[in-house]
Amino acid sequence: MGSNQSVFGDKITDQDTHQLYTKFMKECPSGQLSLHEFKTLLGLRDLNSEADQYVNQVFNTFDLNKDGFIDFLEFIAAINLVLRGKIDQKLKWYFKLYDADGNGTIDKKELVSIFSAIQALNGNQELTPEEFSNMVFQKIDVNNDGELSLDEFINGVESDEQLLEMISKSFDLSNVLKVIQSGRRHSI
């Protein structure tokens, strides 16, 4: 069966999956994690409105079947994507996260909003949200229409190491994974 090596190294083992399932069911006996439970589990309560909006968007992106809950399969799929997903899979997921209105494009307002929320959660960043958004659009909005299509986003980010690193860091889930690994529940 699975090796005992992982604890989320570069792949999730059968033992990790069993431990995650046990922790998930302990925290969420119904098997359906609500937005409120998600925020409580990860210690993400009492956030400012921008950070709260970002967490809501993350939750909605994890909620693949859009039923208002994250079940264990959605939960494990999200963790697996973050840990083992290929870069183009991750970029598609980031695109979906950044496309707040779900219209299939990212505009500057959406990017500023999501980056502001990320900063509110992660603390200080080198660039303001406006500077970050302007830089992204300057680098990868190839047709200069003020919107990023999925193709523009993926091709642009993949071809720019600095931008790829910044976007990857902006959605660093290591703190979330540490909370999940330790099994501790945060309450405020």
Side-chain angles (χ1 to χ4, degrees), residues 25-177:
M25 293 308 291
K26 180 180 177 194
E27 296 297 330
C28 186
S30 70
Q32 300 283 315
L33 189 65
S34 70
L35 176 60
H36 175 74
E37 291 167 325
F38 179 73
K39 289 177 181 178
T40 301
L41 175 67
L42 300 176
L44 300 174
R45 295 175 57 205
D46 301 324
L47 301 172
N48 70 32
S49 63
E50 288 176 332
D52 193 57
Q53 180 183 350
Y54 176 67
V55 172
N56 292 349
Q57 185 72 10
V58 169
F59 179 87
N60 291 331
T61 305
F62 284 171
D63 179 15
L64 299 174
N65 66 0
K66 304 300 177 213
D67 65 354
F69 296 94
I70 297 174
D71 63 29
F72 184 71
L73 289 177
E74 290 167 328
F75 181 73
I76 207 73
I79 291 173
N80 197 40
L81 171 69
V82 170
L83 292 178
R84 297 185 348 168
K86 293 182 167 80
I87 192 62
D88 63 324
Q89 294 171 317
K90 289 181 181 183
L91 289 174
K92 284 179 187 174
W93 191 83
Y94 293 148
F95 183 87
K96 186 177 175 184
L97 178 66
Y98 297 161
D99 180 16
D101 64 9
N103 71 348
T105 62
I106 302 169
D107 61 34
K108 281 189 178 184
K109 183 179 175 189
E110 286 173 314
L111 199 55
V112 166
S113 175
I114 203 79
F115 200 70
S116 297
I118 290 167
Q119 283 188 331
L121 281 175
N122 294 344
N124 262 346
Q125 301 287 334
E126 295 172 19
L127 300 172
T128 68
E130 291 76 14
E131 290 169 338
F132 175 75
S133 182
N134 289 336
M135 180 198 63
V136 168
F137 275 82
Q138 181 181 10
K139 288 184 174 203
I140 67 176
D141 184 15
V142 293
N143 62 3
N144 293 313
D145 66 353
E147 295 181 328
L148 300 176
S149 68
L150 178 61
D151 287 340
E152 280 178 314
F153 182 77
I154 290 174
N155 294 335
V157 173
E158 281 184 331
S159 66
D160 188 309
E161 287 286 325
Q162 179 191 17
L163 193 53
L164 178 59
E165 184 178 333
M166 288 180 77
I167 287 180
S168 296
K169 282 183 180 178
S170 77
F171 196 71
D172 178 13
L173 285 180
S174 59
N175 289 337
V176 171
L177 295 176

